[in-house]
Every structure is written in structure tokens, then in C-alpha cells.
Amino acid sequence: MYDLGMKYNVGMLKGPHYDGPPVTIETLPEFPHYTGLRRQHTVEYWMLASLLYRENGTKQQEVVRVLNPDSADVFFVPFFSSLSYDTYHNQGNDTESKFDDQLQAEIADFLQKSKYWKRSAGRDHVIPMQHPNAFKHYRDKVNAAIFVVADFGRPSPSVSNLRKDVVAPYGHVVETFEADDFSDPYDSRTTLIFFRGKTKRKAEGKDRKRLEKILSGQKDVVFEANGVTEGGVNASTKGMRSSKFCLDPAGDTPSSCRLFDAIVSHCVPVIVSDKIELPYEDEIDYNKFSIFFSREEAKKEGYILDQLKRVSKTKWLEMWRYLKNITHHFEYQYPPKNGDAVSMLWRQVKHKLPAVNLAVHRNRRLKVPDWWR
């Protein structure tokens, strides 16, 4: 992990423009209580924290920071690009927006001058960019790196794609349903399908208005058009825990935090998106605990409700049990635990390394790069 000053990462948790020496285990601030977007896009904090952590005993960790760069498999860039966007660029202040741009430019310049970046052209570097607008002006300068993203809705495929990048879960906004131990969970959840969120969205998210028209007022359906507030989080928590299915249409990009709120609420996700990519999908089969509809299917009058009513109690209970068993894979926490979200993400990074090493080794000896194209 590169040693970057605090202004590029945890300093933003202390206040705008706060700077200091590179963070250590002793100076790592606790993760603050955020709601909304800042809580959703926090993978950068948890990945950094996991590299500072040293576990006692001999238990195997997914990732360990080494101090000798020549023995590293990958290089982590601890720039909080999502928090920088939310802190500076997203405030509607031109001066502050330019500071976010300045931080992006400084990181891109720093990396391109690094001998370790030059050694692999950046292919073995890991950069978290979970917010869809994070690092947006300089992504193409560092696009050989492994990006940790929420989805691929905004950047072009030449900049970010599933072949080289890792999809991370959003940090869930509702609390995990720890006491979900009812003797009959199916009958205790009296709502068939629940949705609470904004209906004015961009791109695929425009479908939410159509879904509102189709579903609002239907029997056993709760469809509430509201934004993210503290009271709204409480209402979403209650609604998800009392529903069999939770509607997860696309937001401004193909993914939505609502999916991960549904997972930790053990509410079977109903995913409506044609372009969504999902975290750890080489290890987890989402078909075992989710139901998928294309955008066209979802916009057919009565189609979603008809299909959900066909799901038997036995099938639903099977999906509910599976949800309970995989919830821990979507928990960000410190200290990190085996199988939690951040350890799963480091495993995903490890899965990218064979292709990275192939490209690096070939490029070192080829006289005519990619002659076969």
C-alpha cells in the first residue's frame, strides 16, 4: 500500500482539507455513522483498514500488507475517491469541486511517476472507485489498474469492465436483521413485495415511475416514493423485515444499494435491471436467493405480482435460509473477519491476478505488442 498523506483518505473523515502523515493502525479513525450515499460508497475505507490490521495468532488472512514492494502481489492506492467526490465535488461549490479535481490529478501524476506503476503499466494496482462519479476526470489515465466499483453504468468499457475490475457491494444502509428467528418467517412477513425510494432517476432508473404506476395500490404491496432520511431508513428497515420480497430496480446506474439492504434484511430480492453485475458472482449463485426480471418483463401489467405469487412457501423458505447463510459476505467491518465483504473483495482481486501476470510477463518480452490483433 502506498503511503499517502491523510488529505487523500482518512483526513476527509476529520474535515475538508485536513492533512497529516500517512495513516497507521494507531491513527486510523473509527468509521463515522453515515446514512445515504456516504455510507453506501465506503469500500475504500474498509480496504485500507484491512491492510493496517494485524491479526494475532496463526489464522489465515485474505490479505497482508508487506513493506517490501518487490514481494507484493498487488499495490493498493489508498485514495478515497468516492468520499472526495461527496466531500468536494458534490457540494455545488466550484472551488471545492476543483479541489477534488486537483486530488485526482495529483494521484494520477504520482502513480505514473512510480517505478512500480511503470513496471506493470499499473495492471497490478488496485484503486477503489465505488461512486459512479469517483475519479471521473482521470480514470482513463489509470485505466489499466484493477478498479473496485459498484457497477459499469457510467464509464466506457475501455476504461472499466468485468474482465479486469472487481464489483463491490454497497455498504448497506439498514441494520442487519439479527433477530430473524421466527418459527414461521413466511407467514410473519405479511407484505408480498416492498419498495421505498426515489422514483425520479436517470437511465434504467426511469423504470421506477412505470413500476410505481403498476404496483402502487395493489393488494399486499407497499410502494413508497421517498428519499433517504433517518426516518426513511427506519421505515425501510421495518418494511423490508415484514416483506417476503423486496423490489430492487436500477437506480441512476444498473445497481442499487437496495439490493444489499434486502439481503441483510433476509427479504428475497426482486432485481429489475438488464445490465447489473453482482459482487463475487464466481463464488455466489444469486439465483438461489433472488428473482430476476428484465426491464421489459417488469413493465408488463401484473407480470411481477403473478410470478411472485407462484413462488411456493417451500421455495421461499429455501431462499430465505440461503440469504441468512450468506449475509456475512456483505458486511463491512473492522476488525475484518474471514468471509466478510472486504475479505471476499480481496479474494476477487486475487482471482484477477493470473490475467494480470500474463499481460505483464508478455509485455516484458514482446517486441511487437499484441501482434495477434
Side-chain angles (χ1 to χ4, degrees), residues 139 143 145-147 149 151-152 155-167 277 352:
R139 283 190 180 194
N143 66 338
I146 300 169
F147 295 165
V149 300
D151 57 37
F152 304 104
S156 71
S158 64
V159 172
S160 185
N161 57 72
L162 192 59
R163 177 186 57 80
K164 73 175 187 70
D165 296 332
V166 169
V167 178
E277 296 295 346
K352 301 294 183 181

Side-chain angles (χ1 to χ4, degrees), residues 130-368:
Q130 197 173 22
H131 192 290
N133 291 327
F135 221 127
K136 67 176 182 177
H137 295 308
Y138 289 87
R139 283 190 180 194
D140 61 334
K141 304 292 186 185
V142 295
N143 66 338
I146 300 169
F147 295 165
V148 182
V149 300
D151 57 37
F152 304 104
R154 294 270 169 88
S156 71
S158 64
V159 172
S160 185
N161 57 72
L162 192 59
R163 177 186 57 80
K164 73 175 187 70
D165 296 332
V166 169
V167 178
Y170 290 85
H172 55 84
V173 175
V174 306
E175 295 300 319
T176 303
F177 195 3
E178 302 286 0
D180 190 9
D181 52 4
F182 297 97
S183 58
D184 192 341
Y186 182 85
D187 288 337
S188 72
R189 294 175 179 250
T190 54
T191 301
L192 177 65
I193 187 168
F194 174 84
F195 173 86
R196 193 178 198 282
K198 292 182 179 180
T199 54
K200 284 189 176 181
R201 300 278 81 178
K202 305 170 186 174
E204 285 190 9
K206 293 178 181 178
D207 293 346
R208 293 186 182 191
K209 274 293 185 183
R210 172 65 177 163
L211 291 169
E212 180 182 20
K213 183 177 180 181
I214 292 173
L215 295 173
S216 287
Q218 296 292 325
K219 183 181 178 182
D220 299 330
V221 173
V222 174
F223 195 109
E224 300 175 350
N226 288 285
V228 178
T229 62
E230 194 66 42
V233 171
N234 293 333
S236 292
T237 301
K238 182 178 179 181
M240 287 185 165
R241 292 181 180 185
S242 59
S243 300
K244 296 177 177 68
F245 300 96
C246 286
L247 183 63
D248 176 44
D252 289 337
T253 62
S255 64
S256 164
C257 179
R258 194 163 287 96
L259 167 61
F260 307 102
D261 287 344
I263 288 172
V264 300
S265 302
H266 310 146
C267 180
V268 174
V270 175
I271 299 172
V272 180
S273 176
D274 293 342
K275 298 180 180 179
I276 192 169
E277 296 295 346
L278 299 165
Y280 345 122
E281 203 166 4
D282 59 343
E283 297 192 56
I284 293 178
D285 183 358
Y286 283 76
N287 289 290
K288 292 184 177 180
F289 61 87
S290 306
I291 295 177
F292 293 87
F293 293 102
S294 70
R295 295 175 64 198
E296 288 307 309
E297 289 173 335
K299 287 184 281 189
K300 294 177 183 177
E301 194 83 34
Y303 186 78
I304 286 181
L305 293 182
D306 180 61
Q307 295 299 308
L308 296 184
K309 288 173 183 177
R310 292 171 184 239
V311 178
S312 68
K313 179 176 180 178
T314 300
K315 178 62 177 176
W316 184 89
L317 286 171
E318 180 183 313
M319 301 174 90
W320 172 80
R321 292 189 188 100
Y322 198 93
L323 274 170
K324 292 188 70 175
N325 286 334
I326 54 92
T327 295
H328 64 289
H329 294 318
F330 300 90
E331 300 286 3
Y332 290 109
Q333 57 200 337
Y334 185 83
K337 295 181 180 178
N338 187 38
D340 69 4
V342 79
S343 69
M344 292 289 284
L345 286 174
W346 282 118
R347 270 162 56 179
Q348 292 296 299
V349 170
K350 183 172 69 174
H351 296 168
K352 301 294 183 181
L353 290 185
V356 167
N357 291 332
L358 172 63
V360 170
H361 296 164
R362 286 183 74 249
N363 282 353
R364 284 177 184 168
R365 56 92 178 167
L366 284 179
K367 303 300 183 183
V368 181

